[in-house]
């Protein structure tokens, strides 16, 4: 296999890892807790900006980009900080947006939050360099591992895979625990869960914050690979790609979310690049967004549980034990 | 149909689609020969946004690439190889552009060069293209590349900081001392602003208001009122056509138009059409001036370019709109320069001909000036050394592979763009201290 093909395939694998992580974060919020977070992409962006700023160093007056803060933190601190940034932002947004709002209203507020975030970051140029975004973000551990470009890229694939595994263990642990059962109960019937003594506000916020932290981590992995990040990379439609992935793969199922990440943001969006150009410029891109929307609608209509449906959990019926004193069965 | 069967069917369909795409890509790669065999078609990538906020960049590139490859192929190609242009949409952001660059280098047969990337994705993708040994004629104006360390990087369009100096110099010459900066919030527009502000201040002027405009709003009444309160004598601008039309028509209604000096974006046909429709031809003729890289629509190189462009209507929609577009001219020149460098190096391998690129553009004693690929090919065949002077004018690369020249000021008179003056390269150099 040629070097160019290896670069391409390894790039896709890194994107797959990032998307799988993001889909697991969204699945925790949407699939398990039933939160319609249309601002999901801003948590990934927050993580990306945090990791970038914490590796770029302090801006100098001669620098072509301006941003707040700046440090040269060693790996893995920028990744951890990105997860914390995603969590803190989620806590802030969730504390306001989740307390009283539900369903449609919650979705509307989240969508507006996403639009506001893009507008603020684009126009407050001193924050993270506005529309131009941040560039020349140094890759992690490059000076430590001493690898050539191709070998380093495969190393980064391994690093992404390791972080994916870590995220999987976290979400698997949560969804398989009593907390996961409470989240599902809340999703299915919130008043009933509250009546059984569950603090639903706390549960919703917990799912929102953990999902935000995972999104932040995925953003850090992406920005350290790309070495650049700008508002164009996290416009609100990107959230709908992740939603479609979770719906297609199977919400409420971590394997389903991973399958959705493979099929929608990676396979489908990448397959579009291979279409021969036709029609006016931008037509293929527009069709792609239409197909993403149709895909979500078709699956919600015909296969609402997705390709890998959520496992129906059945509890064994308690059968009273019979003792010898009861006598023989008749 | 049972749910499980439906799920399996859906999975199979999607998996087949994905596999088909990958199979197609793999097949393309399998077909791609390691060396360029006789008559294999050479490909020039058009690596720019064709969608997203800067979707207007891509068609401009098509307006330069297609006329160039048409003429090269009419002249028998490059060493017998036909050449073609291939669109690779970067979508205007690094996250989409990086896999696009990797995909292009992996799957495109005989990729000999690239036009682009633009400012939207250059910092993330120039290192990748350089690593892949793909010569690139970029259209990014980012000052970060003023001292580019990349050997496969070539820039024959002006850097954004140069553009800022040109706008400031023209306003200063017209006697303006109080100016407003009204630029779109997109990357391309915003990259002009820092040096514009700096240069205008250097010349004794004052930017009284600096507005970063969210594109394509239905109204800019608030921004216009703030602008009027700041009392500027002139407005510097680069916004997309719809935004420009809305903003300036509201300014006209609320206060009356203030003289406008725009970048080369405002001299593109869609911008002129939209804004003229909104404020009227009379106001445009009186109050609007656009600055663009000096590429006068005259001379033999431009005539060759324009002739081929107008014959390319099958592949270039409304080709006439690019006739005076300096960027289309420089893309055209970029393709010709690469093709001539291949002939000079007697190789279509980028790692071989890349170093010969300056050899076909630099002036020098005994060199024959050529203004088209056909002329250059004929002279090289005679064993002569050539200097290609393109549709965009002479090209002299500095040690960082940058070549920028003068700017011209233009107005819209009677529906036609008329050149009314020039800001020379020497004036820009004096102001910038470079």
């Amino acid at each position: 296999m040629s070097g160019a093909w290896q670069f391409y395939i390894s790039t896709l694998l890194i994107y797959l890892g990032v998307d799988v992580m993001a889909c697991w974060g969204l699945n925790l919020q949407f699939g398990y807790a039933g939160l319609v977070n249309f601002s999901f992409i801003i948590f990934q962006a927050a993580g990306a900006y945090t990791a970038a700023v914490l590796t770029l160093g302090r801006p100098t007056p001669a620098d072509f980009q301006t941003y707040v803060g700046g440090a040269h933190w060693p790996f893995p601190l920028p990744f951890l900080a990105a997860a914390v940034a995603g969590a803190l932002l989620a806590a802030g947004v969730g504390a306001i947006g989740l307390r009283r709002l539900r369903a449609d209203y919650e979705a509307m507020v989240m969508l507006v939050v996403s639009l506001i975030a893009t507008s603020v970051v684009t126009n407050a140029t001193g924050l993270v360099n506005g529309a131009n975004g941040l560039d020349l973000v140094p890759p992690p551990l490059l000076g430590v591992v001493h690898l050539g470009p191709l070998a380093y890229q495969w190393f980064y694939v391994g690093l992404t895979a390791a972080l994916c595994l870590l995220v999987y263990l976290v979400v698997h642990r949560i969804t398989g625990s009593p907390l996961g059962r409470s989240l599902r109960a809340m999703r299915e019937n919130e008043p009933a869960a509250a009546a059984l003594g569950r603090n639903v506000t706390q549960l919703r916020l917990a799912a929102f914050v953990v999902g935000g932290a995972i999104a932040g981590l995925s953003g850090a992995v992406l920005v350290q690979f790309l070495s650049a990040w700008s508002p164009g990379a996290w416009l609100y439609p990107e959230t709908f790609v992740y939603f479609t992935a979770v719906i297609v793969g199977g919400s409420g199922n971590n394997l389903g979310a991973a399958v959705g990440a493979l099929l929608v943001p990676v396979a489908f969006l990448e397959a579009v690049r291979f279409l021969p150009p036709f029609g006016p410029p931008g037509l293929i891109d527009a069709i792609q967004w239409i197909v993403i929307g149709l895909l979500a609608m078709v699956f919600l209509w015909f296969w609402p549980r997705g390709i890998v449906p959520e496992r129906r959990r059945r509890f064994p019926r308690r059968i009273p034990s019979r003792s010898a004193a009861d006598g023989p069965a008749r | 149909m049972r749910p499980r069967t439906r799920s399996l069917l859906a999975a199979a369909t999607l998996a087949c689609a994905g596999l088909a795409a990958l199979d197609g890509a793999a097949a393309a790669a399998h077909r791609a020969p390691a060396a360029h065999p006789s008559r294999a078609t050479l490909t020039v990538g058009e690596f720019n946004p064709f969608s997203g906020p800067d979707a207007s960049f891509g068609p401009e590139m098509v307006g330069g690439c297609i006329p160039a490859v048409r003429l090269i192929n009419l002249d028998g190609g490059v060493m017998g190889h036909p050449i073609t242009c291939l669109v690779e949409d970067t979508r205007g952001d690094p996250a989409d552009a990086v896999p696009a660059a990797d995909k292009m280098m992996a799957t495109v047969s005989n990729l000999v060069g690239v036009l682009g990337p633009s400012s939207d994705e250059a910092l993330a993708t120039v290192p990748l293209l350089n690593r892949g040994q793909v010569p690139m004629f970029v259209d990014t104006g980012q000052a970060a590349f003023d001292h580019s360390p990349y050997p496969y990087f070539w820039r024959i369009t002006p850097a954004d900081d140069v553009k800022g100096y040109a706008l400031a110099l023209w306003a200063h010459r017209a006697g303006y001392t109080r100016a407003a900066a009204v630029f779109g919030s997109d990357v391309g527009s915003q990259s002009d602003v820092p040096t514009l502000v700096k240069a205008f201040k250097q010349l004794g002027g004052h930017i009284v208001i600096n507005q970063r405009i969210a594109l394509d709003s239905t109204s800019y009444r608030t921004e216009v009122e703030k602008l009027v309160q700041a009392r500027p004598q002139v407005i510097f601008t680069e916004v997309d056509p719809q935004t420009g039309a809305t903003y300036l028509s509201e300014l006209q209604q609320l206060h009356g138009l203030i003289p406008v000096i725009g970048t080369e974006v405002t001299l593109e046909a869609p911008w002129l059409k939209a804004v003229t429709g909104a404020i009227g031809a009379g106001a445009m003729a009186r109050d609007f001036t656009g600055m663009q890289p000096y590429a006068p629509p005259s001379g033999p190189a431009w005539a060759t370019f324009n002739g081929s462009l107008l014959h390319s209507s099958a592949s270039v929609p409304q080709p006439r709109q690019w006739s005076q577009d300096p960027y289309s001219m420089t893309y055209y020149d970029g393709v010709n320069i690469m093709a001539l460098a291949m002939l000079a190096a007697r190789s279509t391998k980028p790692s071989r001909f890349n170093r010969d690129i300056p050899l076909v553009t630099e002036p020098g004693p005994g060199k024959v000036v050529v203004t088209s690929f056909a002329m250059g090919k004929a002279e090289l065949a005679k064993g002569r050394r050539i200097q290609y002077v393109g549709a965009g004018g002479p090209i002299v690369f500095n040690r960082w592979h940058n070549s920028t020249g003068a700017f011209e000021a233009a107005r819209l008179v009677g529906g036609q763009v008329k050149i009314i003056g020039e800001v020379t390269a020497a004036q820009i150099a004096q102001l910038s201290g470079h």
Side-chain angles (χ1 to χ4, degrees), chain A residues 259-270:
Chain A
V259 169
L262 171 66
L263 292 177
V264 180
V266 179
F268 173 71
L269 292 189
E270 206 53 33

Side-chain angles (χ1 to χ4, degrees), chain A residues 48-60:
Chain A
Y49 281 123
T50 304
V53 165
L54 293 178
T55 46
L56 274 170
R58 295 193 73 79
T60 61

Side-chain angles (χ1 to χ4, degrees), chain B residues 119-197:
Chain B
S119 296
D120 290 341
E121 62 280 322
L123 282 162
T125 54
V126 165
L128 306 186
L129 294 167
N130 187 72
R131 182 188 69 199
Q133 299 186 325
V134 180
M136 61 200 115
F137 279 76
V138 305
D139 56 330
T140 174
Q142 283 167 305
F145 293 107
D146 286 357
H147 298 150
S148 160
Y150 302 107
Y152 289 85
F153 171 99
W154 303 94
R155 179 157 69 179
I156 54 177
T157 53
D160 291 335
D161 48 355
V162 177
K163 203 189 298 181
Y165 289 117
L167 291 173
L169 278 163
W170 188 259
H172 176 66
R173 191 184 295 179
Y176 298 122
T177 54
R178 294 171 58 80
V182 179
F183 284 75
S185 57
D186 57 298
V187 178
S189 303
Q190 279 302 311
S191 52
D192 304 335
V193 178
T195 46
L196 169 65
V197 173

Side-chain angles (χ1 to χ4, degrees), chain B residues 64-123:
Chain B
C65 191
I66 297 287
V69 300
R70 178 183 169 274
L71 290 176
I72 292 170
N73 291 335
L74 282 175
D75 202 52
V78 184
M79 296 159 60
H81 296 270
I83 189 164
T84 187
C85 305
L86 179 80
V87 169
E88 192 66 61
D89 185 2
T90 64
R91 300 174 191 167
D93 81 79
D96 282 316
V98 166
D102 280 330
K103 176 241 161 191
M104 178 174 66
M105 288 189 283
T107 62
V108 175
S109 306
N110 302 331
L111 182 69
V112 290
V114 160
L115 301 177
S118 75
S119 296
D120 290 341
E121 62 280 322
L123 282 162

Side-chain angles (χ1 to χ4, degrees), chain A residues 5-94:
Chain A
W5 266 99
Q6 288 197 53
F7 273 116
Y8 181 42
I9 288 170
S10 54
T11 297
L12 291 185
L13 288 173
I14 292 164
Y15 271 60
L16 175 63
V18 169
D19 291 333
V20 165
M21 272 189 255
C23 284
W24 280 335
L26 181 62
N27 191 38
L28 190 65
Q29 296 177 342
F30 173 64
Y32 285 95
L35 304 172
V36 190
N37 179 11
F38 283 167
S39 65
F40 183 77
I41 198 71
I42 71 167
F43 305 107
Q44 189 179 55
Y49 281 123
T50 304
V53 165
L54 293 178
T55 46
L56 274 170
R58 295 193 73 79
T60 61
D63 215 342
F64 65 95
Q65 49 190 2
T66 55
Y67 45 90
V68 171
H72 278 302
W73 285 11
F75 177 83
L77 295 181
F79 285 72
L80 293 173
V84 171
L88 287 177
L89 182 64
V93 171

Side-chain angles (χ1 to χ4, degrees), chain B residues 244-245 248-250 252 257 274-284 288:
Chain B
L248 293 177
S249 67
E250 288 185 337
Q252 194 179 37
L257 212 56
V275 177
T276 303
I279 65 172
M284 275 296 275
F288 168 75

